[in-house]
Amino acid sequence: MLLTMDLKTSFILWVCVCSTGFAHNYGSDCVHDIPHEITFVQSRENCTLNHMTWTRLKKMQDLFSNYGLDAYIVTTQDAHHQQGGSPHDRRLEAISGFDGTIGAAVITRNKTVIWTDGRNVDAAMRMDCGWQIYRKGAKGIPSLTSWVKAELQNISRPIIGACPSLMAAVWWKNFKLSFAKNNITMLEIEDDLVDQVWEDNRPPQINVTINALPLEFAGRSWQDKMTDVHHEMAKAGVDILVVSDLDENPWLFNMRAFAFGFDPFFYSFAVIERRTRITRLYIIDHKSMLSRKPSDHEVHVTLERHLDIGEGRCSVRVTEPGYVESPDSAEECVQNPVVKVGEYNMKDVVRDITRVASLPHTRKVWLSPYCSYAVYSAVPTDKIYQDITPISILKSTKNPVEIQGMEDANLLDSVAAIRFFARLEKEVKQGKNWTVYDAFHEIHNYRKQIPHFRAPAFRTLTGSGPTAAPIYNMPTPEDSQPITREHMFMQDSGGQYLNTGTTDMTRSFHFGNPTKVEKDIYTRVLMAHINLAELVWPEGRTGHDIDATAREPLWELGLDYSHETGHGIGAYGGVIEGPGRISSTFADFISDVPFYASIFTEDENINKFPDPTEYPLRKNMFFTVEPGYYEMDNIGVRMENVMYITPAHVNQLSSRCKFLRFETITLVPYESHLIDYNMLSHTHLDWLNEYNSRVLQKTAPILERFGDTDALAWLMKRVENVTREPLH
Ligand SMILES: *[C@@H]1O[C@H](CO)[C@@H](O)[C@H](O)[C@H]1NC(C)=O
Ligand SMILES: *[C@@H]1O[C@H](CO)[C@@H](O)[C@H](O)[C@H]1NC(C)=O
Ligand SMILES: *[C@@H]1O[C@H](CO)[C@@H](O)[C@H](O)[C@H]1NC(C)=O
Ligand SMILES: *[C@@H]1O[C@H](CO)[C@@H](O)[C@H](O)[C@H]1NC(C)=O
Ligand SMILES: *[C@@H]1O[C@H](CO)[C@@H](O)[C@H](O)[C@H]1NC(C)=O
Ligand SMILES: *[C@@H]1O[C@H](CO)[C@@H](O)[C@H](O)[C@H]1NC(C)=O
Ligand SMILES: *[C@@H]1O[C@H](CO)[C@@H](O)[C@H](O)[C@H]1NC(C)=O
């Protein structure tokens, strides 16, 4: 549950988008889809003190004197700049009971304070007594750095510690600069203080089996991908590349595992040496992992075989203690990239980076913008080359096999959705009691009938009427809203498929008689959706450049939505993937940048992550397009398809410029009786007719194969060609 929420929510731009004086009566004086009031929770009634977490905290504070510390920073981030995906990494929870997704805490000898955001206020209320809680955005709350400065002002030469492997280098440098102004020293505590005191009941590191991804689905062997990476490194004049982002090694090595959350990833690091063609890969329980029987029934080789270690063309050779490696002496192995697999362990990783970075012939070391300070500080400053990694770019521009896999998976996933929506509508109309919670589960029972389906791509978001308004609606059995004929229904869900498919789709429906306002809003969102789906733009433009095209039909009425328009999507990979983003405001995709930025005051936020909205949209990248509209306690509408970028054949006066466009691969019809066709332009109608005929042509034969006549009838009703005048 937690990871998906993090990923999906990391995109919300928590800004109130207000406008005044719009003509239509869609609500109050402002577009609100988030509550406005701000809480600053200073003390809590009825808080409890958990003896276990409190004891750990006290032990931690006792350790301060060993290091001369006056304060210590603990956050929800792990060694890969993601918000604690695994229970083993929930350090803040281990000392405070905070089970939320994002938080940064400061512990002094006698005070404990946490900064969190609006989505995590409930989790903060469950924390142990004694914690002071600051909510991001609340008026008058101090930034983390200014609080620390005030708190330590009477101490001479104060020292604040943090673990360098658990903090992004970007944040670390900002903290260091800010604290230095007040003579506060940032001290690196390599062995995190929470790790030192978390002896009892610590969940073990995750140990699920990692499976090879068959070449027929990956489309390119890991050796070929590695050669591509070496090539990009050579172009940039780089000798070493450190892979620290969790979505990169699964793509590079054609390996997948559901080790935490929903994305098919596992914990790993890699250090790629271009000259020797040797790559060190660090995974958990590496010795047993290499020889384990695959846990995916469609995978037939061990990792050892897949990585060409032990067996294969070359005989085994072990030259360095602790590493199992494929030999690089045999002739054919010299020509091929070689991988040495070692244990996932920060100390070993940092030791190896330090060693290869210090070699005299190493000129530059390529680091991810998101790497931890531990990785960053292992490389001499003059050798650091920090930029979006070549893996991130190669991964997001899909190969022909991945494109086919995405098309196949999104088509079959659309069929599953059509079958589910057809049944839901029928049963709701028959008076059967459906709740959003039922709907949230049931859609996956249809996905399970599709070959290669592996798992939900994220925690399904489902809402009905007012409960669709909070954008990230995750129903629980207790608070589940019934699905009725009076309210609109919205569902945002997706799946992961072994044949390199990841899907992410949202549809809104009304199973009764919609009001004029509901139709107006639905139609406006559809127009927003089509505006992007049919847009043609010159190569080189960014997600930031095209975002307004989607919002224009809503802006025209003084309306807007406070989330991004679309995000990159992986191929049996991350449901949210960089480096691009369709949005007009910067929100980071791995972590919650706006949140972390808020723990610094304005002028301290000097080192920044690259802005994904400024990254050019490239051919063969996949994106979601998901405009919406939300009004607190009233309505929530969103429409989301997966699309990929392809060359556009436009009538060019100047043939020098290449143009691009989207190709839509999600094929689920829209709700025809929610569309006011008179509001659509001729080009909107043409697009819709073309889409409908494609939906029909591609999904109907599969529905026939399933023998699902109800779903076929449901489909037919929605894909009739439409004209400007409403159908009679
Ligand atoms: C705290 O507990 C008391 C007694 O059970 C109750 O009356 C009060 O409403 C509770 N306060 C909160 C904020 O829950
Ligand atoms: C809390 O610690 C600070 C710094 O160590 C010290 O100045 C202050 O007197 C302490 N306050 C209490 C109430 O112990
Ligand atoms: C620092 O000292 C001043 C003057 O004695 C006092 O007013 C202030 O409360 C102290 N601050 C802290 C955080 O202890
Ligand atoms: C920091 O220390 C230097 C040297 O001891 C001193 O001159 C300066 O005033 C100090 N700055 C602050 C903000 O305390
Ligand atoms: C991990 O799981 C495998 C098989 O499921 C087991 O053989 C191995 O001992 C486990 N390793 C650890 C460190 O728990
Ligand atoms: C649906 O729920 C209502 C209210 O809880 C109940 O009265 C009704 O009998 C239920 N209908 C069906 C078909 O289960
Ligand atoms: C529906 O419209 C599309 C696109 O305008 C056209 O290609 C198709 O032939 C039409 N189908 C029917 C049944 O009229």
Side-chain angles (χ1 to χ4, degrees):
M1 173 215 152
L2 291 178
L3 189 74
T4 299
M5 191 164 115
D6 286 344
L7 289 178
K8 292 296 281 188
T9 47
S10 39
F11 289 90
I12 309 181
L13 317 176
W14 292 102
V15 284
C16 174
V17 277
C18 295
S19 71
T20 49
F22 57 85
H24 296 245
N25 184 22
Y26 285 107
S28 58
D29 56 341
C30 178
V31 179
H32 289 310
D33 49 33
I34 52 167
H36 223 52
E37 77 286 356
I38 281 322
T39 45
F40 161 34
V41 191
Q42 204 153 17
S43 64
R44 289 161 296 143
E45 271 184 72
N46 306 343
C47 63
T48 56
L49 193 63
N50 179 319
H51 185 70
M52 199 163 60
T53 47
W54 186 80
T55 306
R56 289 186 197 125
L57 180 66
K58 290 292 139 201
K59 278 192 190 162
M60 219 183 120
Q61 286 166 320
D62 289 345
L63 288 173
F64 278 22
S65 51
N66 296 0
Y67 300 92
L69 290 176
D70 300 294
Y72 193 72
I73 302 174
V74 179
T75 77
T76 39
Q77 287 191 29
D78 67 10
H80 304 274
H81 190 59
Q82 65 155 8
Q83 307 302 328
S86 114
H88 182 78
D89 282 307
R90 303 217 175 106
R91 292 176 179 82
L92 187 49
E93 183 171 356
I95 55 158
S96 72
F98 177 77
D99 58 0
T101 54
I102 192 158
V106 175
I107 295 134
T108 67
R109 288 171 186 271
N110 54 25
K111 277 193 189 154
T112 47
V113 189
I114 183 176
W115 282 256
T116 188
D117 67 7
R119 293 165 287 164
N120 286 293
V121 164
D122 287 346
M125 296 302 276
R126 289 190 290 272
M127 289 174 81
D128 289 349
C129 297
W131 282 84
Q132 186 166 315
I133 301 159
Y134 287 120
R135 179 182 156 172
K136 178 200 157 192
K139 278 204 191 75
I141 73 157
S143 69
L144 187 151
T145 48
S146 56
W147 185 89
V148 167
K149 288 172 186 181
E151 190 59 26
L152 304 183
Q153 64 179 301
N154 295 341
I155 300 170
S156 89
R157 304 246 147 226
I159 297 175
I160 184 163
C163 176
S165 61
L166 299 174
M167 188 183 287
V170 162
W171 303 133
W172 188 286
K173 289 191 284 178
N174 287 341
F175 274 129
K176 197 171 166 180
L177 280 170
S178 168
F179 289 144
K181 288 183 202 154
N182 294 59
N183 291 339
I184 301 173
T185 307
M186 239 344 233
L187 185 65
E188 293 174 47
I189 308 290
E190 274 173 40
D191 197 0
D192 179 53
L193 293 191
V194 181
D195 288 354
Q196 291 188 44
V197 301
W198 197 359
E199 295 148 343
D200 52 322
N201 296 304
R202 182 165 189 180
Q205 274 189 325
I206 282 168
N207 176 25
V208 299
T209 299
I210 301 170
N211 292 299
L213 177 67
L215 183 59
E216 58 171 315
F217 300 134
R220 199 160 172 77
S221 71
W222 72 261
Q223 288 92 342
D224 287 346
K225 289 180 177 178
M226 189 64 84
T227 302
D228 297 342
V229 171
H230 288 155
H231 186 68
E232 295 301 319
M233 289 166 70
K235 278 205 289 196
V238 164
D239 306 294
I240 309 289
L241 168 63
V242 179
V243 186
S244 55
D245 297 333
L246 288 177
D247 57 343
E248 300 199 339
N249 286 324
W251 175 84
L252 178 60
F253 288 100
N254 293 335
M255 282 157 49
R256 299 289 194 276
F258 289 95
F260 51 86
F262 287 89
D263 288 336
F265 302 153
F266 48 89
Y267 287 98
S268 69
F269 281 100
V271 178
I272 301 173
E273 288 179 67
R274 181 172 61 84
R275 285 165 186 238
T276 60
R277 314 202 63 165
I278 294 172
T279 295
R280 283 156 211 278
L281 172 67
Y282 307 82
I283 56 176
I284 293 171
D285 202 18
H286 75 288
K287 287 209 175 107
S288 114
M289 198 64 84
L290 287 170
S291 56
R292 273 193 221 171
K293 194 171 162 287
S295 61
D296 190 310
H297 67 276
E298 286 187 74
V299 176
H300 306 295
V301 295
T302 60
L303 283 190
E304 204 160 37
R305 213 28 209 280
H306 172 70
L307 293 174
D308 211 357
I309 291 170
E311 296 171 37
R313 287 164 308 189
C314 314
S315 56
V316 195
R317 208 168 57 112
V318 177
T319 49
E320 277 179 62
Y323 288 100
V324 184
E325 61 180 275
S326 56
D328 44 351
S329 60
E331 205 176 304
E332 52 188 335
C333 294
V334 171
Q335 289 158 13
N336 280 319
V338 170
V339 62
K340 301 184 183 195
V341 182
E343 191 58 25
Y344 176 89
N345 173 321
M346 207 59 222
K347 286 202 172 70
D348 291 0
V349 174
V350 168
R351 180 203 60 208
D352 290 349
I353 297 171
T354 308
R355 190 181 56 76
V356 294
S358 66
L359 294 174
H361 65 249
T362 298
R363 290 161 303 165
K364 288 282 175 199
V365 180
W366 197 325
L367 301 177
S368 159
Y370 307 96
C371 77
S372 69
Y373 190 65
V375 167
Y376 183 92
S377 56
V379 181
T381 317
D382 61 339
K383 291 188 176 184
I384 292 175
Y385 180 89
Q386 199 174 20
D387 199 357
I388 293 172
T389 69
I391 300 176
S392 164
I393 297 163
L394 291 166
K395 170 164 62 61
S396 63
T397 45
K398 271 71 170 174
N399 70 44
V401 175
E402 289 168 325
I403 293 175
Q404 191 61 52
M406 285 294 276
E407 285 191 309
D408 292 348
N410 278 274
L411 170 60
L412 289 168
D413 191 85
S414 298
V415 167
I418 289 170
R419 298 184 64 204
F420 169 66
F421 292 142
R423 175 173 145 219
L424 181 68
E425 169 162 353
K426 186 178 172 185
E427 295 190 354
V428 168
K429 283 183 170 169
Q430 284 169 350
K432 186 157 184 269
N433 286 338
W434 270 90
T435 66
V436 291
Y437 189 74
D438 302 331
F440 151 88
H441 279 292
E442 188 60 19
I443 188 156
H444 290 298
N445 289 332
Y446 287 87
R447 290 201 166 95
K448 282 180 194 155
Q449 298 175 33
I450 297 173
H452 309 313
F453 173 74
R454 289 295 176 271
F458 53 93
R459 194 159 190 258
T460 301
L461 305 164
T462 307
S464 171
T467 69
I471 306 181
Y472 292 96
N473 183 293
M474 298 195 198
T476 60
E478 303 78 44
D479 68 4
S480 192
Q481 184 94 357
I483 300 171
T484 66
R485 302 187 63 177
E486 280 72 54
H487 282 128
M488 290 186 68
F489 166 78
M490 176 174 85
Q491 189 164 55
D492 182 346
S493 71
Q496 291 286 5
Y497 296 85
L498 178 72
N499 54 332
T500 59
T502 302
T503 71
D504 186 357
M505 179 261 322
T506 311
R507 284 292 180 274
S508 301
F509 294 104
H510 198 301
F511 303 133
N513 296 316
T515 62
K516 171 148 189 349
V517 168
E518 285 167 336
K519 282 182 77 165
D520 278 5
I521 287 173
Y522 185 92
T523 308
R524 288 277 162 182
V525 176
L526 178 65
M527 288 157 73
H529 188 101
I530 298 176
N531 275 2
L532 268 197
E534 66 175 12
L535 184 72
V536 167
W537 71 88
E539 200 172 58
R541 294 301 174 132
T542 66
H544 189 279
D545 292 334
I546 66 169
D547 182 68
T549 312
R551 294 178 196 265
E552 181 266 334
L554 289 150
W555 284 355
E556 209 170 71
L557 293 189
L559 310 177
D560 201 359
Y561 47 93
S562 64
H563 59 74
E564 61 176 6
T565 301
H567 54 79
I569 180 167
Y572 193 31
V575 72
I576 288 167
E577 176 179 279
R581 180 79 54 78
I582 306 171
S583 181
S584 46
T585 316
F586 171 33
D588 172 57
F589 69 98
I590 297 183
S591 167
D592 198 323
V593 167
F595 170 75
Y596 277 101
S598 78
I599 65 184
F600 302 101
T601 57
E602 194 80 348
D603 63 332
E604 295 166 349
N605 203 8
I606 297 158
N607 297 289
K608 288 184 160 69
F609 294 110
D611 181 345
T613 72
E614 293 294 0
Y615 190 82
L617 301 164
R618 291 174 193 258
K619 195 176 93 173
N620 298 339
M621 283 184 170
F622 284 68
F623 282 89
T624 63
V625 169
E626 46 180 317
Y629 179 71
Y630 316 84
E631 222 173 74
M632 210 52 200
D633 301 323
N634 186 19
I635 193 169
V637 176
R638 182 159 69 247
M639 264 169 242
E640 177 183 25
N641 286 343
V642 174
M643 307 181 184
Y644 70 93
I645 300 173
T646 187
H649 301 289
V650 285
N651 184 10
Q652 287 167 225
L653 293 174
S654 156
S655 58
R656 287 215 313 251
C657 200
K658 285 190 187 137
F659 279 73
L660 298 171
R661 66 174 181 87
F662 286 117
E663 178 74 21
T664 303
I665 60 169
T666 303
L667 296 169
V668 180
Y670 301 99
E671 179 68 298
S672 33
H673 74 282
L674 270 170
I675 304 170
D676 179 349
Y677 292 102
N678 290 313
M679 283 163 67
L680 302 182
S681 70
H682 288 291
T683 55
H684 287 146
L685 281 173
D686 286 348
W687 186 89
L688 195 58
N689 283 337
E690 194 276 329
Y691 181 74
N692 283 344
S693 74
R694 216 146 48 84
V695 169
L696 180 65
Q697 181 210 329
K698 296 221 165 179
T699 63
I702 305 169
L703 290 169
E704 270 161 24
R705 257 183 277 147
F706 275 110
D708 196 334
T709 48
D710 282 354
L712 259 173
W714 183 90
L715 173 69
M716 297 308 269
K717 249 183 26 201
R718 281 171 173 71
V719 296
E720 288 166 320
N721 270 6
V722 288
T723 61
R724 201 177 176 81
E725 290 306 311
L727 291 176
H728 298 293

